[in-house]
Structure formats: C-alpha cells, structure tokens
Amino acid sequence: MSKLGELIQKLCPNGADYKTLGEIAIDVYRGSGIKRDQITEEGTPCVRYGEIYTTYGVWFDKCVSHTDAETITKPKYFEHGDILFAITGESVEDIAKSCAYVGYERCLAGGDIVVLKHKQNPKYLSYALATTEAKQQKSKGKVKSKVVHSSVPAIKEITVPIPPLEVQCEIVRILDNFIELTAELTAELTARQKQYTYYRNKLLTFDNTGIPIVQLRTVVKKSCSGSTPTKGNSDYYDNGTIPWIRTQDVRFNEITEVDSFITEKAVVETAVKWIPENCVIVAISGATAGRCAINKIRATTNQHCLNMEIDETKALYRYIYYCIYNKYDELISRKQGARGDLNSSLVLSIEIPVPSLDVQKRLVYVLDNFNAICSDLKIGLPAEIEARQKQYEFYRDALLTYAATGKIILTDK
C-alpha cells in the first residue's frame, strides 16, 4: 500500500468530510483596486486579478507586480498561505480561478480579488479548488456574457474535502511532482520558442536587399471589424449556429472551431459581418490587443477583431500572418487609451517586407515547420506537455476523490 493509502486508512478510512470554504475560513474579504498606472518597478508586491488567469498557477511565491502602497485607497493585504480568487472573468468555465500564495512577503490584493485566510495546507486547498468538481461549483448559476462575476458569498459556499493535514501534505507531495515535471518540460519549450522567435525575425528581415517595405494596407484587399449583438436579446444568441469569433479566440493560432455562436437574425439586424476563410485577424482590444490568428472557417467576429482579407496577387495570407506575428512588440507599443487598445489605422500602417510570392511560399514552409515544432499538440514537447497535463488533472481529481471517499481508486505507483 502506498504512503497515501496508509495515511487514509489510518486517519480517515471512511473518507474526509466535505466543508464549505466559509466553514474553514478565518477570514474572507475583497481586495482593493490597483490601477494599471499604479504599477511600479519596485515597492510593495501586489496581485491584480487578471494575473491570476494569465501568470500564476496552482501556487506562487513571488509577485510579478509592485506598487506604492500609499497610493492605494483602503489597501487590503494577503500573506503566506492565503488563497486568492479572481472573481471577474471572461468565461463561466474559468471564473473564480484561484491560487495559493506560499511566499513570505506581505502583499497587496487588487480589486476583483477575494482573499481566503485559513489553517489548512494552502497548496492542498489550491489543488482541491482546481478540480473538475470545484470548477463546476464556481460556475454554477453564472451566465455567459462579456464579463462574468462571482462574489464573496459564492466563494464561501464552495465545498471541498478536508482530510487531516498529514493526508493533505502527502497529496501535495504527489501533485507537486507532476507540476515539477511539467515545469521542466515547459522551460525547455520556452527556450525552443525563443529560438523560433529569433529565427522568425531573421527570416523576415530584409535589410539592404532591395525587397520592398510597404504598409500592411497595401496587401489587404478588404478589412472590417465585427460587432456584438445586443447581449440582452436572446433572439440573437439562443440556439445560434453562426460561429462568432471573440478576442479570446485570437491567440497566434488557426481558428478551426469556436464556442460562441449567434443567430441568423443577429446577422440580419445588427452590424455583424461574415468574413471568408483565411482572413488574418488581429485583436485590437485591451490585454489581447496585438495577437493575431487565421480563421479556417467562415465566421463572424466581435467588434474587437480587425479582419483582413489578403490580396492573393500580392501576398500569401500565411506570410502576412507571420509578418504581423513578428510585429507583436511593435503593435503593443502602439496601444492607446486607458485600456491599451489598437485601431485599424494603427494596424494597417505597420510596415512589412513583401518579397515575391515564390520567396513568401518558401518562407512560409520553413516557418510552418518551426511553428509546428513549438506549438503542435500532436508532436514533440507540446504533445508531451499536453499528455503530462492531462495525466496531472486525472490524478489530481482521483486523489481528491480518494481522500473524500476513503476508497482506493489508484494503483500503487
């Protein structure tokens, strides 16, 4: 029998009790707003809610952001062992994503973050809150819309199995091993992606070669932005069959399917426009601005997508996609306004090299192969990382079920 099995048989043979977070909490409270322009290079460590989605995993020990605490109205702090929840998000499936802080500095919690103080193993709680069962509880009653919200009362109602601390620690030890292996593979893939970025830039640089450098608009046959049908009108969404691309779908990828659809009535009665396959799409709003994609399906988009149909007599759409991908940092530097948005004029005015179609074709062939090595989930490191992630998720859910029921569901490893 494994060490975990021995501990469960000894300490909770009939399984652990399920408790609500409200029952195990010492305190639960919301953070205080920290604006983008209040982030500094040095100062008090802090977390803004978006970073929980984009930066932190199950647990973290250092903050990537800092601020001057004196500029924050009614500052709210978190400390070692606290669990942070992001209670605003873009999808029902991800709402209330949580992570454990295991560092030792006193840090500030931004707005739309809920802080949970407790006396359990913080990593254990974070693993438990990432299970399929916990995610279903977090999303219960939430409605798909542009912005999804949770709350302190909703967080306090979430239930998780709470075995003795010895059992919690052993589950953490096992799952940390999975996380460590995935982290090692991810680090190797990151190094490979940096190499790919370097060579992509070299391949798309034509200094002193006589290759024409032109504004993007000169190779675009047609461009348009989409629209968002009125959210409150169910006739525009219920039983919709028309693919509707949003900025979260645009992530340096080929879009072959989406999870958002609108109705024919929405297309007829609103400013939504159909776009053909193989447009180059650039996200122009907020955090997603500057990312690009190619749609491999005929679709519609929201207003935060700039959709460009490429003139095939002048350029290959995949070549233009790689050029825009390579200009990401430049596009980011052009963002404007409080949210950091782009507009069609800013995007269409970027300058790109346009060699002959034959040269473009050869470059696309090389870049497609580079990209596959770094991104294709069917081959190499990406495939191995995907497999390890699925294995981790299976064992995470299984171990938590084991702790909750006391029934052996795993073979000894």
Side-chain angles (χ1 to χ4, degrees):
M1 181 179 289
S2 67
K3 181 179 179 181
L4 177 60
E6 292 174 353
L7 286 171
I8 287 178
Q9 291 302 308
K10 176 182 177 181
L11 301 173
C12 52
N14 296 319
D17 292 334
Y18 271 85
K19 294 184 180 180
T20 67
L21 296 185
E23 289 178 301
I24 66 170
I26 296 173
D27 197 5
V28 187
Y29 54 88
R30 289 188 61 159
S32 183
I34 301 173
K35 298 177 181 178
R36 185 193 301 270
D37 60 9
Q38 291 176 304
I39 298 299
T40 57
E41 290 292 330
E42 299 179 348
T44 303
C46 66
V47 172
R48 302 176 73 219
Y49 85 90
E51 294 168 347
I52 295 177
Y53 291 112
T54 62
T55 305
Y56 301 119
V58 177
W59 50 267
F60 69 104
D61 57 7
K62 290 184 181 298
C63 297
V64 299
S65 298
H66 298 80
T67 190
D68 180 354
E70 294 184 0
T71 67
I72 307 302
T73 304
K74 297 181 180 179
K76 299 291 185 179
Y77 290 89
F78 63 91
E79 300 173 307
H80 176 81
D82 292 347
I83 307 294
L84 308 183
F85 296 84
I87 60 168
T88 294
E90 293 185 345
S91 73
V92 171
E93 294 77 16
D94 292 332
I95 191 63
K97 182 179 181 296
S98 53
C99 55
Y101 175 61
V102 294
Y104 290 91
E105 293 184 274
R106 192 165 178 250
C107 311
L108 282 165
D112 289 334
I113 289 177
V114 164
V115 179
L116 169 72
K117 290 185 173 294
H118 59 91
K119 290 186 177 180
Q120 309 302 315
N121 183 303
K123 287 187 179 181
Y124 170 82
L125 273 188
S126 194
Y127 282 125
L129 289 164
T131 61
T132 302
E133 181 182 3
K135 288 181 178 179
Q136 290 171 346
Q137 293 183 66
K138 293 176 183 179
S139 64
K140 185 178 181 181
K142 306 300 185 296
V143 178
K144 281 192 175 182
S145 61
K146 185 175 181 181
V147 179
V148 184
H149 295 287
S150 188
S151 63
V152 169
I155 297 298
K156 292 172 75 172
E157 290 178 2
I158 297 170
T159 61
V160 292
I162 304 295
L165 283 171
E166 294 94 327
V167 174
Q168 294 183 28
C169 291
E170 179 60 13
I171 290 175
V172 166
R173 184 191 67 79
I174 295 169
L175 293 178
D176 274 358
N177 286 336
F178 279 102
I179 294 291
E180 183 177 353
L181 174 59
T182 302
E184 291 173 356
L185 292 172
T186 301
E188 185 176 345
L189 179 59
T190 299
R192 184 177 293 179
Q193 288 170 331
K194 288 181 179 178
Q195 185 182 41
Y196 162 60
T197 299
Y198 170 80
Y199 281 108
R200 185 187 67 221
N201 183 57
K202 293 287 286 185
L203 287 168
L204 295 175
T205 298
F206 295 87
D207 293 337
N208 303 316
T209 60
I211 298 296
I213 307 296
V214 302
Q215 288 193 351
L216 175 60
R217 68 177 79 251
T218 64
V219 299
V220 175
K221 183 192 303 184
K222 184 187 297 184
S223 67
C224 69
S225 58
S227 178
T228 297
T230 305
K231 285 294 184 181
N233 191 335
S234 59
D235 290 342
Y236 291 161
Y237 295 94
D238 289 355
N239 301 313
T241 58
I242 296 172
W244 186 56
I245 295 171
R246 300 175 297 164
T247 53
Q248 51 262 56
D249 300 314
V250 180
R251 49 183 186 273
F252 305 112
N253 60 322
E254 288 189 347
I255 300 173
T256 58
E257 60 183 4
V258 296
D259 59 9
S260 297
F261 299 86
I262 57 175
T263 63
E264 292 184 9
K265 186 174 183 179
V267 175
V268 171
E269 295 184 359
T270 71
V272 173
K273 301 179 182 71
W274 280 100
I275 59 171
E277 295 177 19
N278 299 328
C279 286
V280 180
I281 301 173
V282 178
I284 57 175
S285 175
T288 63
R291 299 193 313 207
C292 58
I294 297 170
N295 63 305
K296 303 304 291 184
I297 54 173
R298 187 168 177 259
T300 61
T301 75
N302 70 12
Q303 72 274 24
H304 301 303
C305 293
L306 172 62
N307 314 304
M308 294 173 288
E309 189 177 346
I310 306 304
D311 185 341
E312 295 178 351
T313 67
K314 298 178 179 178
L316 304 177
Y317 70 88
R318 291 195 66 79
Y319 174 77
I320 297 303
Y321 162 76
Y322 282 121
C323 284
I324 296 173
Y325 194 162
N326 204 47
K327 292 283 186 176
Y328 177 69
D329 289 341
E330 180 180 332
L331 285 171
I332 291 299
S333 72
R334 294 186 176 206
K335 290 166 69 171
Q336 300 176 340
R339 293 200 322 162
D341 291 342
L342 295 169
N343 58 49
S344 60
S345 179
L346 289 172
V347 175
L348 292 169
S349 65
I350 64 172
E351 294 187 337
I352 59 170
V354 183
S356 69
L357 292 176
D358 284 342
V359 171
Q360 291 180 38
K361 188 179 296 184
R362 292 197 295 271
L363 288 170
V364 165
Y365 175 79
V366 173
L367 291 169
D368 278 350
N369 280 283
F370 265 123
N371 189 55
I373 291 170
C374 292
S375 306
D376 195 329
L377 295 180
K378 296 179 181 178
I379 63 174
L381 279 175
E384 189 171 354
I385 290 172
E386 178 79 358
R388 291 291 176 269
Q389 179 64 23
K390 289 180 178 178
Q391 186 181 40
Y392 152 69
E393 291 174 358
F394 169 79
Y395 275 94
R396 179 199 63 206
D397 286 14
L399 287 170
L400 270 294
T401 301
Y402 186 9
T405 62
K407 296 180 180 178
I408 298 176
I409 55 175
L410 300 173
T411 57
D412 276 352
K413 295 282 184 179

